[in-house]
Amino acid sequence: MSDDRRTVAETSVARTPRTVGTVWGLLILNTLGSAGAKTIVPLPRSLIQMVTMGALVTAFALALTVNTRMRIRAGSYLFLLTLLLVLSVISSVHLESGFGALFRCFRLALFVGTLWLLSRWWDGGTTFVRHHIRMYLAVLGTVAAGLIASPGAALPDLYGGRLVGALWPLTPPQIGQYAAVIIGLTVLLLLDGRTDRTSAAVVIVPSLVLLALTHTRTATLGLLVGLVLAIGSLMLTSAAARRFFTWAVGISAVAAVGFAGALQTWFLRGQSQENFSSLTGRAKVWHALLTAPRSTTEYLFGHGLGDKSFDGLPIDNSWLAVYNEQGVIGVGLVAAFLVVLGAVALLRPPSLSRACAIFLISYCAMASYTEAGLGDASPYLLHLALAASLLATPAQVTPLSAPRLPRRHVPRWAQRSEVI
């Protein structure tokens, strides 16, 4: 990032109200979901939904309060997301998925509306990156507390001994996703000197432990691929990025040779080759979904927003979930905002903001193959919103013009020059 752009971004960060960080945290709370493992203290699903939906309503109200003049910054990501919202309403109005589809459309409308209100402070700075890391670190803190309080509940046999949320119902893929995202962002902040090693270690080390306990392959691969692409974008301008990349490659090579058996065992999670090749049964659900008969309207617009399942089984693929609920038009819109964000990131000059955006975009693209969420209010849409904020250009600061002084009247006789 150039000195001028960094100065403008830092000035804007200083002017960002603290309420904006609260709103971002409430959006994250809303996307935690209400389904997951059994908790130490049983929480009724209705109570969890009340908390998450209340967080979204509060976030929208606070965003209106802090942005009373409704100043927004137009962007392709939010524009395409709004088109996806309109499509979701069109596909849900027939109530093929029940009244729950309209409720999900209402939730998505509040979610997108809050992002529009927050876009006023999208300036390419790292303000929202820090909000993102802090909130997800707090979520992972509850996971670690549950693990300490009740290891049996946090590592249940129902999930094959994988780490789950014992205080708040979180599944292993969710925990793995949150850990991978904040690890990647913190590494990039450290390489650019935006945080010290102690603060980075406080985030990275516990998150790595939790990620390993979840045995989440998608999050691990997304973290590795995202960091390779993000650090690669910095290598021409950052000596720290080149050193980190060299050390990472060397350590990875040694680990691959010395711990090949342990890594393979961790990666397979005790599954058979047949189960692994079918992606833990996902392929069967995908085949059934694609071969199910559809009318032309269902093919174009889908069945409406649902719970991302088909015949009672989770789809676990963003593209097929969008195809099922919003049709091929929805798939086209999702592909469009991923392509647009990726193209804008490639066209930006090397900087920390660009590297963080590349990491988030590539992670979401990788995770979309085995996780659903790109067509509805979800952490993935928040990750991409963060990427959009990082790719926004700083608002031009108009210099204050000096006040015009009244012209002094000079008598005509004084205007004539005299020769002495």
Side-chain angles (χ1 to χ4, degrees), residues 1 27 29 31 56 87 114 127 131 192 211 213 217 226 229 235 244 248 252 317 367 380 383 412:
M1 181 183 292
L27 288 178
L29 176 58
T31 58
L56 180 57
L87 175 65
T114 306
T127 305
H131 293 327
D192 197 66
L211 175 60
L213 291 175
R217 296 177 292 228
L229 295 176
M235 289 184 65
F244 181 86
S252 299
N317 181 290
Y380 293 107
H383 300 333
R412 183 170 295 184

Side-chain angles (χ1 to χ4, degrees), residues 304-329:
L305 291 184
D307 59 358
K308 313 299 176 288
S309 66
F310 181 76
D311 285 342
L313 297 174
I315 297 175
D316 286 341
N317 181 290
S318 285
W319 302 101
L320 293 180
V322 171
Y323 170 71
N324 186 52
E325 297 181 355
Q326 291 132 318
V328 293
I329 298 178

Side-chain angles (χ1 to χ4, degrees), residues 284-292 294 310 315 320-321 323-324:
K284 297 178 181 178
V285 180
W286 298 348
H287 177 73
L289 188 153
L290 290 172
T291 55
R294 287 173 178 265
F310 181 76
I315 297 175
L320 293 180
Y323 170 71
N324 186 52

Side-chain angles (χ1 to χ4, degrees), residues 196-284:
D196 58 88
R197 295 182 179 180
T198 303
S199 300
V202 169
V203 176
I204 295 173
V205 174
S207 299
L208 277 174
V209 173
L210 297 180
L211 175 60
L213 291 175
T214 62
H215 289 258
T216 307
R217 296 177 292 228
T218 299
T220 304
L221 291 176
L223 171 63
L224 296 176
V225 173
L227 276 180
V228 168
L229 295 176
I231 295 174
S233 70
L234 292 172
M235 289 184 65
L236 294 178
T237 57
S238 172
R242 291 192 291 270
R243 289 194 299 269
F244 181 86
F245 187 82
T246 303
W247 277 99
V249 170
I251 293 174
S252 299
V254 172
V257 174
F259 303 96
L263 291 174
Q264 183 179 9
T265 301
W266 181 89
F267 198 78
L268 289 176
R269 298 197 309 235
Q271 296 175 339
S272 63
Q273 290 294 335
E274 180 182 357
N275 197 17
F276 176 74
S277 61
S278 66
L279 296 173
T280 321
R282 291 185 178 97
K284 297 178 181 178

Side-chain angles (χ1 to χ4, degrees), residues 6-158:
R6 181 174 293 182
T7 301
V8 172
E10 289 174 352
T11 302
S12 179
V13 168
R15 295 177 180 176
T16 303
R18 291 184 178 181
T19 308
V20 171
T22 303
V23 172
W24 194 261
L26 289 171
L27 288 178
I28 290 177
L29 176 58
N30 172 255
T31 58
L32 294 182
S34 58
K38 294 181 179 180
T39 54
I40 299 174
V41 178
L43 299 175
R45 188 173 182 182
S46 58
L47 174 62
I48 298 173
Q49 290 176 333
M50 188 182 303
V51 171
T52 54
M53 194 61 196
L56 180 57
V57 173
T58 305
F60 183 74
L62 287 177
L64 280 175
T65 302
V66 77
N67 190 2
T68 53
R69 297 185 180 181
M70 293 190 182
R71 294 178 178 176
I72 60 175
R73 296 197 64 182
S76 55
Y77 173 69
L78 288 180
F79 175 72
L80 291 170
L81 205 56
T82 305
L83 289 182
L84 186 65
L85 168 62
V86 174
L87 175 65
S88 301
V89 174
I90 294 173
S91 62
S92 301
V93 75
H94 298 292
L95 300 180
E96 292 187 24
S97 299
F99 286 99
L102 293 180
F103 176 79
R104 292 183 180 93
C105 288
F106 173 70
R107 174 176 176 246
L108 181 59
L110 285 181
F111 184 85
V112 175
T114 306
L115 291 179
W116 272 111
L117 292 171
L118 293 181
S119 66
R120 174 184 176 182
W121 292 279
W122 292 5
D123 54 14
T126 58
T127 305
F128 287 92
V129 173
R130 298 184 184 278
H131 293 327
H132 216 60
I133 293 174
R134 289 166 185 163
M135 185 59 188
Y136 278 125
L137 185 62
V139 174
L140 293 180
T142 65
V143 175
L147 176 62
I148 296 173
S150 179
L155 300 169
D157 294 334
L158 180 63

